[in-house]
Amino acid sequence: SSQIWPLSHGENHAGNGEWSKDGRRFVYYQTTASSCQLTMLEFSAESMPTLQSENTVHQCPVGSYGNVAFSHDGRKLIFSENSGPGTAYFIYLKDLASGEIYQPAQPPVFLAGNAEFDLHPSKEQLLIASPDEAQQLAYYLLDIKKNKLSYLFSKNQWLCCPIWNQQGNAILQTDSDPANNILQLSLSGQLLHK
């Protein structure tokens, strides 16, 4: 339909967001200098979707600009937030039906903490990239259903924003500065492709 839905309104700024697997919901960070919330847009299932509702689904601390994703079944939100400017990020899961929020197993927090994660393309697993005690970037795998965290590897480089590849058997991310390459790493940290 070429219809446009603006996400920023006045002083509100739209941040990181994610579509649900069925493509009918979109959740994103909406922030101002004095507020932070996760907003969810719900669309009709028609071939020409229309916006049906816009709701705040979570109030986050001012200064949080984390990551957000839907679980594969669409029943939970996975998000990262801090407790205020200059504090470390933690990962949380929120049951959208009950409103229950809990903190899954995750790496100990150093520096910015656990802001960066990516949901596996088909499994309920998170790839988490987090600074470790030696200020290297450490990679972890969280099995959400079992609430089990596994260490994968560390890199003595500060690399940005790792994500799963489409098959879910390798990691993609930008190279260190100057970031003009995309790296593909195995789950043991071996360089597969540059």
Side-chain angles (χ1 to χ4, degrees):
S1 69
S2 299
Q3 187 173 356
I4 296 172
W5 290 279
L7 300 182
S8 295
H9 310 280
E11 293 181 13
N12 290 342
H13 299 284
N16 292 341
E18 183 78 21
W19 285 97
S20 61
K21 200 167 189 174
D22 64 7
R24 295 194 51 214
R25 293 177 293 166
F26 183 74
V27 64
Y28 66 99
Y29 277 88
Q30 191 175 62
T31 62
T32 68
S34 60
S35 70
C36 176
Q37 63 188 31
L38 287 172
T39 300
M40 185 163 54
L41 306 178
E42 294 193 54
F43 297 88
S44 65
E46 304 157 359
S47 58
M48 295 288 200
T50 57
L51 181 61
Q52 292 185 314
S53 66
E54 179 176 345
N55 298 303
T56 298
V57 291
H58 178 67
Q59 294 287 342
C60 38
V62 174
S64 285
Y65 304 96
N67 246 348
V68 62
F70 282 97
S71 60
H72 288 300
D73 63 10
R75 295 180 184 165
K76 292 185 179 79
L77 282 182
I78 306 160
F79 61 93
S80 56
E81 70 180 24
N82 62 20
S83 58
T87 61
Y89 280 81
F90 289 89
I91 296 170
Y92 298 90
L93 279 82
K94 180 172 185 168
D95 185 297
L96 290 170
S98 71
E100 178 188 0
I101 297 174
Y102 68 95
Q103 194 177 73
Q106 55 195 285
V109 293
F110 298 98
L111 302 174
N114 302 320
E116 295 296 330
F117 66 82
D118 189 45
L119 182 64
H120 190 281
S122 59
K123 299 176 184 175
E124 293 291 328
Q125 296 178 340
L126 287 185
L127 171 66
I128 302 172
S130 183
D132 64 15
E133 192 171 11
Q135 297 188 13
Q136 295 182 355
L137 191 60
Y139 298 72
Y140 299 86
L141 178 68
L142 172 64
D143 184 316
I144 296 172
K145 288 183 179 177
K146 296 178 182 174
N147 197 29
K148 182 180 177 191
L149 184 70
S150 304
Y151 170 80
L152 297 175
F153 61 91
S154 293
K155 287 288 183 187
N156 192 15
Q157 296 172 303
W158 204 256
L159 306 166
C160 180
C161 316
I163 59 171
W164 292 102
N165 68 352
Q166 288 183 335
Q167 296 76 31
N169 59 7
I171 298 167
L172 300 174
Q173 67 178 57
T174 57
D175 200 351
S176 55
D177 286 335
N180 56 6
N181 290 309
I182 294 178
L183 307 178
Q184 183 172 349
L185 305 171
S186 72
L187 297 185
S188 62
Q190 300 296 320
L191 181 62
L192 300 174
H193 192 279
K194 190 172 187 177

